[in-house]
Amino acid sequence: MNAFITAAGAYLPGDPVGNDEIAARLGGVDDRGDRLRRRILAANGIAKRHYALDERGRTTELNEELAANALGSMLDDRGLTAADLDMLATATTQGDLLVPGFASMVHGRIGGGPMQLLSAAGVCASGLAALDAAVAKVRLGDKRTVAVVGSELSSRWLRASRFTGGGDTDAHFLRWMLSDGAGSVLVESRPRPDRPSLRVDWVRTVSLAHEHEVCMRAGMGADNSPAAGRTWQDMGSAAAAEQAGMMLLRQDTSALGALAEAGLKEFSSLAQLGLIDLKRLDHVLCHYSTNAFRDIVFDQLASTGAQIDTGRWFSNLETKGNTGAASIFIALEECWRTGRFEPGQTVLLAVPESGRFSFGFAHLTCVAPEAAESVSVQVPERAPAAVHEPVPTSDGNVFARLDAVWEDFERRLDAVPVMRRLADGESTLEDYLRLLFNLRQQVADGARWISRAASNFSVDFFDLRSAAIGHAAEEHRDFMMIERDYAACGGSIEAIRNGRKNIGSEALSAYMFHTASRADPVGLLGAMFIIEGLGTGKASGWAAQFKEQLGLRDDQVSFLAYHGEADDDHFAKLQAILASPRVDAAAADAIVSTAKVVARLYALQLEELDNV
C-alpha cells in the first residue's frame, strides 16, 4: 500500500519581524550582544521571522496553539475536520509542558474523535521522524488518514530574562537564529482526486550520536558532557538551574562543518543504494539554519564533481526563519500552495539536526489527481516503478527488456486460477492456505541459494557478494513468518513443515540452485527482479485483498504485508546495481534470460495450487 501527502498547512504567529526589530522584541542587548547579533545575522541570511511575542516580549500563543493552527490550515486545504483523523504525529523541541506529551496537548486543542498519538521529541529532524511513523502506519493499512505537524515556540528561550549575566557565544548564536512557527501535512492511503498529491517513496532517519558529542543543547552547563548531578533537574530548583545558565539554548558552532560533512556522507550512502540520483531530482527542500551552512553543502558537493543546479534547491529560511522541526513542513507548504510541484517530478526533503548529529531524508514523487483510480485496489500497475524510473545502463536497453518480461509475467499471473479468483473478489480461505503452504516450501530455500550465489562471486564482484550476504541474512527466516500466518489461519504447523514442493516449486528451486552454483552468477539479478518485483508490486495488494475478502487480521497476512514494504528497499538497491557500468551487454543478456525462466517457473508454481 502506498502513502500520499494530500494536503499541507502552515502557521506563523504575528507580523514578520525584520532584523532591525529583533533586539527590541527580544530585549536585553548590550554592545557585545549587538555586535554578535549583526555578525550572526549577516551570516545566516535571515531577513524576516515570526515570534509569538508581543512588543513587550510577552508570549501571545502556546506552542500547541501554533500546531493547532497549522493543522487547521492543512485540514481546510483538504476539506476535512479533526474528526476525520485516525492518527496525529507531532514533533517539537519543547512543548509548553514537561508532562503530558505534546501530541496529547495538541489533540486536546483540536478535538476530533479517538485517535492514535505520537510525540516525536528531538530537534529539527523530529519532523521527518513523525512523518516516517505516519507513512509506516498508512502503508501497513492500519491507518488511512494521519496528520503530521512540526511546531516550535523558541522565542520563550530567547528573551532577555534568560540572558541575565550575558550568556556565552554559543547561546547568542541561537538567539539570533531561531523563531516560531508550525507546519503540517496530511498522509493518506490514496491520492486526492482534485489536485496533485505527493507519493512518499521512502523516509530515512539516522543518528550518529555514537560518533559525536552533544552539539545543540539545553538543560546543562556550558560544556557538552552531561553527568549525574550536573543537569537542570539536579539543581534543586528551576530558578537555580536558570541562574546557572542551564536553561539557555546553546549551539557548538565549531561543529557545523563536521555536521555538513556527515550529512553529505549520509546523502552519498543513499545515492549508492540507488535511492537518490542528484541529476534526476527536480526539487530539493533542504532545511539549514544558516546560508553559511548551505554554502558549505554546495561547496562540498561540487568538490565531488557533482553538477549542482541551485535553482532546484528551495528554502524559505530568509523569509520564514529557522523554525526547527517545523521548517521542512513550512517550506513544503509554500511549495504546495504556490504550485511548485508538477506530476512526474521528484522531491527530496533533507533535514540535518545538530542536537547530536541526526539526519532525516524523504523522497517524494508528485502524482496527478487521476492516479486515485489506479490505486483503488491497492495494487500498483507495474512493480519496476515502485521507487523511481531507472536510469539507462551501459547497454541502453536492459530495463526495457526487463519491463517486457514483467508485462508477460503479469499476464500469466492474471490467468492463474487462484489469482483470478482473488482479483474477482471470490477467494477462499482454502486458496489462501494453499498459497501459504506452497510458498513456504520454496521460500525456505531462498536464503540457501542466495548464500550459494554469494560464495561463487569472485573478488571482481565483491559488491555483489556483499549484497547477497546481506540479503540472505535478512531473509533466512522468512519461511517462519509464513508458518505463523498459516497457523494463525487454522493450519497445522506440523503439516506445513513436512510439506513437499509442488512441480513448479521443485523446478524453480532446482533452477535457482543451479544458477547460483555458476561462477559469478550475475544472471541472478534477473531472478531478483522478478521476486523482489512481486514483493514491491504485488504483495501488499494481495495482503489487503485477502484481508478484506476473508476478514483476516494483520497477524494472518504478515508475510505478504511485510514484503510489500521491505521489498521497496531491496528493489531500489537492485535498480542501482542494474544501472551500474558493470551491467554490460553480456551481463544484460544473462539477467534478462534468467528473469524469463524465473517468471515462467514462478507462474507454474502458482498454477499448481489448484492441482491438489
Side-chain angles (χ1 to χ4, degrees):
M1 185 178 296
N2 282 318
F4 301 85
I5 293 175
T6 59
Y11 178 73
L12 296 161
D15 295 326
V17 177
N19 288 350
D20 294 335
E21 305 169 70
I22 304 178
R25 187 65 61 93
L26 298 180
V29 181
D30 56 17
D31 289 342
R32 174 178 174 271
D34 194 54
R35 288 195 300 272
L36 287 170
R37 178 182 68 86
R38 293 178 183 278
R39 190 175 74 209
I40 293 166
L41 289 173
N44 66 31
I46 302 173
K48 301 283 186 180
R49 78 280 294 146
H50 292 255
Y51 298 123
L53 298 176
D54 63 17
E55 289 76 5
R56 298 176 60 183
R58 297 174 300 190
T59 302
T60 57
E61 297 177 76
L62 293 170
N63 197 2
E64 69 181 64
E65 291 179 288
L66 304 185
N69 283 325
L71 287 164
S73 171
M74 176 270 293
L75 289 169
D76 288 344
D77 176 44
R78 186 66 177 94
L80 301 177
T81 69
D84 296 306
L85 298 178
D86 298 322
M87 178 179 172
L88 170 65
T90 66
T92 190
T93 303
Q94 178 60 61
D96 303 294
L97 308 176
L98 296 178
V99 176
F102 189 58
S104 294
M105 300 307 296
V106 176
H107 182 203
R109 176 70 58 174
I110 66 172
M115 64 182 72
Q116 182 176 343
L117 299 179
L118 172 73
S119 298
V123 197
C124 305
S126 62
L128 287 188
L131 177 65
D132 192 18
V135 169
K137 296 297 284 187
V138 169
R139 280 182 169 172
L140 283 172
D142 192 30
K143 304 297 178 187
R144 293 178 304 168
T145 309
V146 183
V148 182
V149 62
S151 185
E152 301 284 15
L153 209 168
S154 303
S155 60
R156 288 184 296 205
W157 295 77
L158 312 176
R159 291 178 297 190
S161 59
R162 298 276 189 194
F163 286 78
T164 302
D168 49 61
T169 302
D170 284 355
H172 276 283
F173 176 77
L174 289 178
R175 192 179 190 207
W176 310 119
M177 296 285 293
L178 303 178
S179 55
D180 305 336
S184 179
V185 296
L186 186 68
V187 180
E188 296 187 81
S189 57
R190 303 172 68 172
R192 62 189 290 172
D194 58 333
R195 62 169 294 178
S197 300
L198 295 170
R199 187 184 69 228
V200 183
D201 301 317
W202 51 259
V203 184
R204 296 289 184 278
T205 63
V206 62
S207 165
L208 302 182
H210 65 299
E211 298 177 348
H212 298 274
E213 294 295 329
V214 177
C215 180
M216 182 178 175
R217 70 272 186 198
M220 50 197 269
D223 61 1
N224 60 357
S225 299
R230 290 166 48 194
T231 71
W232 73 275
Q233 296 184 76
D234 299 309
M235 297 304 291
S237 69
E242 186 93 46
Q243 187 64 33
M246 290 186 171
M247 306 312 289
L248 292 173
L249 275 173
R250 291 181 169 87
Q251 172 96 57
D252 182 1
T253 56
S254 66
L256 291 182
L259 180 69
E261 183 177 350
L264 286 169
K265 286 182 179 179
E266 294 303 317
F267 181 94
S268 298
S269 69
L270 293 174
Q272 290 171 4
L273 291 174
L275 296 178
I276 295 175
D277 183 349
L278 190 59
K279 292 179 292 186
R280 294 173 63 84
L281 283 173
D282 296 295
H283 306 278
V284 179
L285 277 61
C286 184
H287 162 67
Y288 37 80
S289 58
T290 169
N291 281 344
F293 189 91
R294 175 203 61 190
D295 296 340
I296 292 173
V297 172
F298 285 168
D299 289 345
Q300 292 200 19
L301 280 174
S303 70
T304 67
Q307 299 297 313
I308 308 301
D309 181 357
T310 57
R312 298 184 181 186
W313 291 62
F314 176 83
S315 170
N316 52 14
L317 174 71
E318 296 181 359
T319 57
K320 302 299 191 294
N322 177 3
T323 51
S327 289
I328 197 66
F329 298 136
I330 291 174
L332 185 63
E333 186 275 339
E334 182 171 335
C335 292
W336 178 275
R337 174 170 41 82
T338 57
R340 188 178 177 92
F341 307 135
E342 297 179 359
Q345 292 184 336
T346 56
V347 183
L348 179 71
L349 308 181
V351 180
E353 174 182 306
S354 61
R356 196 161 181 175
F357 281 41
S358 298
F359 303 91
F361 298 91
H363 191 281
L364 317 172
T365 299
C366 187
V367 297
E370 58 267 23
E373 296 180 1
S374 70
V375 296
S376 59
V377 295
Q378 301 171 335
V379 183
E381 287 293 322
R382 298 273 299 278
V387 179
H388 54 76
E389 289 299 319
V391 296
T393 58
S394 55
D395 76 315
N397 66 356
V398 68
F399 284 108
R401 295 168 67 189
L402 287 173
D403 281 352
V405 175
W406 181 263
E407 290 177 1
D408 180 70
F409 180 44
E410 281 196 314
R411 286 192 291 269
R412 291 180 183 277
L413 287 180
D414 291 342
V416 171
V418 68
M419 294 293 104
R420 189 169 62 247
R421 290 194 292 273
L422 181 63
D424 293 341
E426 300 173 354
S427 63
T428 66
L429 182 60
E430 183 61 27
D431 284 337
Y432 183 54
L433 287 171
R434 284 203 309 274
L435 176 64
L436 293 178
F437 184 94
N438 285 271
L439 282 180
R440 187 268 178 203
Q441 317 312 327
Q442 173 252 312
V443 170
D445 282 343
R448 295 172 55 209
W449 62 256
I450 295 173
S451 297
R452 180 174 296 185
S455 68
N456 284 303
F457 279 116
S458 67
V459 68
D460 292 336
F461 291 87
F462 189 82
D463 56 336
L464 296 186
R465 179 166 64 183
S466 298
I469 291 172
H471 195 58
E474 291 176 4
E475 301 210 353
H476 77 290
R477 293 183 179 178
D478 279 4
F479 71 92
M480 297 182 183
M481 195 180 303
I482 299 178
E483 292 176 355
R484 290 194 294 271
D485 288 353
Y486 188 76
C489 291
S492 165
I493 286 289
E494 182 179 1
I496 195 172
R497 287 180 177 173
N498 293 323
R500 298 182 58 183
K501 300 183 182 75
N502 68 39
I503 293 174
S505 299
E506 286 280 13
L508 179 59
S509 286
Y511 178 75
M512 298 303 281
F513 277 112
H514 169 71
T515 306
S517 299
R518 296 175 176 173
D520 293 330
V522 177
L524 280 178
L525 294 175
M528 301 308 296
F529 180 86
I530 297 299
I531 294 172
E532 301 298 346
L534 279 169
T536 195
K538 296 292 185 181
S540 62
W542 289 346
Q545 289 172 295
F546 276 123
K547 187 176 177 181
E548 179 181 357
Q549 293 176 29
L550 305 179
L552 300 179
R553 305 183 305 270
D554 289 345
D555 66 318
Q556 294 172 307
V557 295
S558 63
F559 173 79
L560 292 175
Y562 166 76
H563 279 277
E565 181 174 350
D567 286 352
D568 282 353
D569 287 346
H570 299 158
F571 199 83
K573 295 176 183 178
L574 175 63
Q575 284 184 308
I577 295 172
L578 290 172
S580 68
R582 69 167 58 255
V583 180
D584 55 18
D589 288 343
I591 290 167
V592 173
S593 175
T594 304
K596 289 179 179 179
V597 175
V598 171
R600 293 288 295 272
L601 295 180
Y602 205 104
L604 176 61
Q605 174 182 237
L606 297 181
E607 291 167 2
E608 287 296 313
L609 297 186
D610 283 274
N611 295 330
V612 294

